[in-house]
Amino acid sequence: MLFKQQALLRQKLFVLGSLAIGSLLYLVARVGSLDRLQPLCPIEGRFGAQSQEEMPLRALQFKRGLLHEFRKGNATKEQIRLHNLVQQLPKAIIIGVRKGGTRALLEMLNLHPAVVKASQEIHFFDNDENYAKGIEWYRKKMPFSYPHQITIEKSPAYFITEEVPERIYKMNSSIKLLIIVREPTTRAISDYTQVLEGKERKNKTYYKFEKLAIDPNTCEVNTKYKAVRTSIYTKHLERWLKYFPIEQFHIVDGDRLITEPLPELQLVEKFLNLPPRISQYNLYFNATRGFYCLRFNIVFNKCLAGSKGRIHPEVDTSVITKLHKFFHPFNQKFYQITGRTFNWP
């Protein structure tokens, strides 16, 4: 009899303990997401007049899942109308630079509940065939969003393509432009590494970086090599400044975005006139990958693709020194124009 009573008592204690643990986990989940459940202030500033009605973050988070279904083509026109969804032209564009961290920047900005990203590079302004299809074709490539959210796309080829500044100006002369840069020599080697990997996948041979970056006839830096030309940031920026004032550009430190992303993202929030919403909660370091991953909420996390962070080949130190000296005067001018200084050689 005593044995049965003890067994019954243990069973009751187990049930009560399970309920207590369940309640504790619920409270942890609620506390962890409190900052994501605050009302979102209307976006103000140069993006134009906004609705005075605030949009709860809970609705915006629900919307993420909804938009995913819409992008897969699972939504009817009636559903789109009922949810007041639109496809808007971007109010900000990440225009470059290649291998500077454009994908990481776009994905991190997408943590903000008022930002909606175009998942694929559209290549509208740098591709003559796409551009000929017209602005309405471009708009229909944008994701669905609430009217007061801002859409952002990224195509790093925009920065170096001559026709692009004028084309974007004709679409929206007051658009916000984001440029993410890395130390120029490192960026050039990263550019080379991506191309090299593509060649190796196809079992093709490729020149060493040193042979491409240095002109064998003059033994000077080869400015005809695209990876080198792309890293001359000031030359490309000067072309953009013929159409846009420097105040419409924001320079992001791509090297710092890797090691300390939050301060860089907070600067971008301010530039885009967004209420501060991205916090340390949204970013966690993945020791295995060596990069920060993204935490949207207690359930949904995301890391960048495995192709990010390729190991660079060893490059002759004399070539690196020559490239540092070559880029130095261009870097100094870039600092002067943008008002942002980097610890580049």
Side-chain angles (χ1 to χ4, degrees):
M1 185 68 174
L2 179 61
F3 177 80
K4 289 183 179 180
Q5 289 177 340
Q6 290 175 337
L8 183 60
L9 180 60
R10 281 196 298 269
Q11 186 176 7
K12 289 181 179 179
L13 289 172
F14 176 80
V15 172
L16 289 172
S18 298
L19 288 172
I21 291 172
S23 299
L24 180 60
L25 289 174
Y26 173 78
L27 287 172
V28 170
R30 291 286 294 171
V31 171
S33 59
L34 278 178
D35 62 316
R36 307 288 286 173
L37 298 177
Q38 301 301 317
L40 173 66
C41 299
I43 303 169
E44 299 175 352
R46 294 174 65 182
F47 292 137
Q50 302 294 338
S51 167
Q52 295 302 309
E53 182 180 352
E54 295 183 347
M55 176 62 63
L57 292 191
R58 185 177 356 216
L60 290 174
Q61 289 172 332
F62 165 75
K63 179 90 167 36
R64 291 188 189 277
L66 197 63
L67 292 182
H68 180 68
E69 292 301 312
F70 291 173
R71 281 195 291 268
K72 292 193 300 184
N74 296 338
T76 65
K77 289 183 178 180
E78 181 64 15
Q79 286 175 314
I80 293 171
R81 185 188 67 80
L82 287 174
H83 287 283
N84 195 29
L85 297 174
V86 290
Q87 287 173 291
Q88 304 183 82
L89 291 172
K91 295 188 176 77
I93 301 179
I94 301 171
I95 58 174
V97 297
R98 172 180 162 91
K99 305 313 298 174
T102 57
R103 173 56 60 182
L105 178 60
L106 183 67
E107 295 293 343
M108 288 178 178
L109 289 178
N110 193 48
L111 288 164
H112 199 291
V115 171
V116 180
K117 70 178 176 71
S119 297
Q120 302 298 320
E121 293 181 8
I122 311 300
H123 289 286
F124 177 63
F125 297 103
D126 66 309
N127 183 297
D128 292 341
E129 184 178 337
N130 286 343
Y131 190 68
K133 295 175 183 177
I135 204 72
E136 191 61 18
W137 176 89
Y138 179 57
R139 187 180 66 79
K140 289 182 178 178
K141 291 292 183 180
M142 296 299 123
F144 287 101
S145 63
Y146 283 129
H148 72 272
Q149 289 179 302
I150 69 168
T151 297
I152 298 180
E153 78 125 323
K154 75 102 173 174
S155 293
Y158 289 168
F159 186 57
I160 64 171
T161 306
E162 291 189 9
E163 299 82 2
V164 171
E166 182 179 8
R167 289 174 176 180
I168 292 182
Y169 180 84
K170 287 179 178 178
M171 178 191 74
N172 182 357
S173 62
S174 62
I175 197 165
K176 302 263 186 170
L177 301 166
L178 293 163
I179 305 172
I180 179 167
V181 294
R182 297 183 67 193
E183 190 279 309
T185 300
T186 302
R187 194 223 62 83
I189 296 172
S190 181
D191 197 329
Y192 166 83
T193 303
Q194 178 170 301
V195 176
L196 175 65
E197 185 180 274
K199 297 285 186 181
E200 289 176 342
R201 280 200 304 266
K202 297 176 182 178
N203 293 319
K204 294 183 178 180
T205 57
Y206 196 50
Y207 295 108
K208 292 187 68 175
F209 176 80
E210 291 87 342
K211 190 168 184 179
L212 294 169
I214 303 299
D215 187 324
N217 297 319
T218 64
C219 293
E220 297 300 328
V221 172
N222 180 16
T223 55
K224 294 181 180 180
Y225 180 37
K226 187 176 180 180
V228 168
R229 290 202 316 273
T230 299
S231 285
I232 308 174
Y233 304 140
T234 185
K235 290 289 186 182
H236 305 293
L237 182 59
E238 285 172 343
R239 185 170 56 249
W240 284 85
L241 291 173
K242 294 176 182 177
Y243 295 91
F244 300 96
I246 193 62
E247 292 77 20
Q248 282 176 233
F249 296 87
H250 178 71
I251 309 301
V252 178
D253 185 341
D255 295 309
R256 191 184 184 200
L257 192 73
I258 296 171
T259 59
E260 196 179 1
L262 185 58
E264 286 298 315
L265 295 173
Q266 291 171 334
L267 289 173
V268 177
E269 283 181 322
K270 185 176 181 180
F271 172 72
L272 297 178
N273 296 322
L274 292 170
R277 288 293 182 270
I278 302 175
S279 68
Q280 198 62 57
Y281 168 82
N282 301 118
L283 302 159
Y284 67 96
F285 188 74
N286 186 315
T288 303
R289 298 287 307 281
F291 285 94
Y292 277 87
C293 294
L294 317 179
R295 180 186 290 115
F296 288 86
N297 51 49
I298 198 167
V299 175
F300 181 48
N301 299 340
K302 180 178 183 178
C303 288
L304 297 177
S307 60
K308 304 301 178 183
R310 297 179 179 90
I311 298 175
H312 293 179
E314 288 189 16
V315 176
D316 189 285
T317 54
S318 65
V319 172
I320 291 177
T321 300
K322 191 180 289 286
L323 285 168
H324 285 166
K325 290 181 179 178
F326 171 80
F327 287 125
H328 182 74
F330 297 112
N331 295 342
Q332 295 301 310
K333 192 171 184 180
F334 186 70
Y335 302 160
Q336 293 172 1
I337 293 173
T338 62
R340 183 153 195 191
T341 303
F342 300 95
N343 294 321
W344 296 340

